């Protein structure tokens, strides 16, 4: 497991970010190049490079990643109108940082298809 | 919990669909209005209306939903080039069926922002 991804450094506070949520296992911050009025990234502190690298042993972590995203959506006031979660995997998915993360996008109606 | 969503009927085979994956807890089928060359929907058989309705008791189910999506991405040949997972919540998210589902989109480079 690579321990020193860009997002590990951000989660440890070694690279500055605008914190939205933090606990023992997860960290969330604003995307520096937002794709919507609200655009937050949620990362597990333990880096999993791609969603396809997750195993059955990670099931609870993956579930909690989504539950933490729910807390953030609520905190950001997105739940009334709605929002979108996106996980990119690999080149065609548009994944640019190889540390699993969920994008939370809201604050405007999201179009279809999703990219 | 509403037991009779469109997707519950599809998962039970009461409404026809093109099955991609099926097990005790999950069912996956092709989107009838695909947004990419490969576009599959994965649903838990137990209906949760919106992702925000999931609780800590659902953490393992949510994690396994993503792990099942991984199996399908592999089976559909999407893992080499990459793909995108999307969960819509509410009106601005673009959610149209109130039975939690993950969209798997691949077979072409996905654009950004995601809708």
């Amino acid at each position: 497991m690579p321990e020193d991804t860009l997002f590990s450094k951000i989660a440890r506070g070694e690279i500055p970010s605008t914190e939205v949520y933090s606990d023992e296992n997860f960290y969330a911050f604003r995307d520096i190049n937002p794709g919507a009025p609200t655009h937050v990234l949620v990362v597990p502190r333990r880096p999993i490079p791609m969603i396809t690298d997750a195993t059955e042993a990670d099931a609870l972590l993956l579930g909690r990643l989504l539950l933490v995203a729910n807390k953030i959506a609520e905190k950001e006031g997105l739940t009334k109108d709605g929002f979108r979660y996106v996980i990119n995997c690999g080149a065609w998915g548009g994944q640019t940082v190889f540390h699993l993360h969920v994008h939370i996008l809201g604050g405007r109606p999201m179009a279809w298809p999703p990219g």
Side-chain angles (χ1 to χ4, degrees), chain A:
Chain A
M1 283 289 179
E3 291 294 325
D4 248 354
T5 71
L6 172 63
F7 288 170
S8 292
K9 289 176 187 169
I10 285 175
R12 289 197 304 261
E14 295 164 18
I15 291 174
S17 68
T18 305
E19 180 180 316
V20 174
Y21 177 89
S22 180
D23 71 21
E24 199 184 347
N25 298 309
F26 301 98
Y27 183 78
F29 55 102
R30 298 201 189 280
D31 195 301
I32 51 166
N33 193 200
T38 301
H39 186 172
V40 173
L41 303 185
V42 196
V43 304
R45 290 184 180 274
R46 178 165 65 80
I48 295 171
M50 301 166 87
I51 183 79
T52 47
D53 293 312
T55 68
E56 176 60 29
D58 301 310
L60 207 52
L61 178 89
L62 292 180
R64 287 184 173 147
L65 177 63
L66 293 175
L67 292 173
V68 162
N70 284 352
K71 273 192 207 180
I72 295 164
E74 175 71 37
K75 192 175 162 182
E76 292 285 311
L78 302 179
T79 51
K80 185 176 164 283
D81 290 320
F83 57 86
R84 177 168 291 168
Y85 292 157
V86 175
I87 299 174
N88 296 328
C89 186
W92 281 12
Q95 186 175 10
T96 53
V97 177
F98 288 84
H99 181 142
L100 172 65
H101 52 288
V102 174
H103 293 265
I104 306 174
L105 297 111
R108 66 165 171 85
M110 301 300 294
W112 201 253

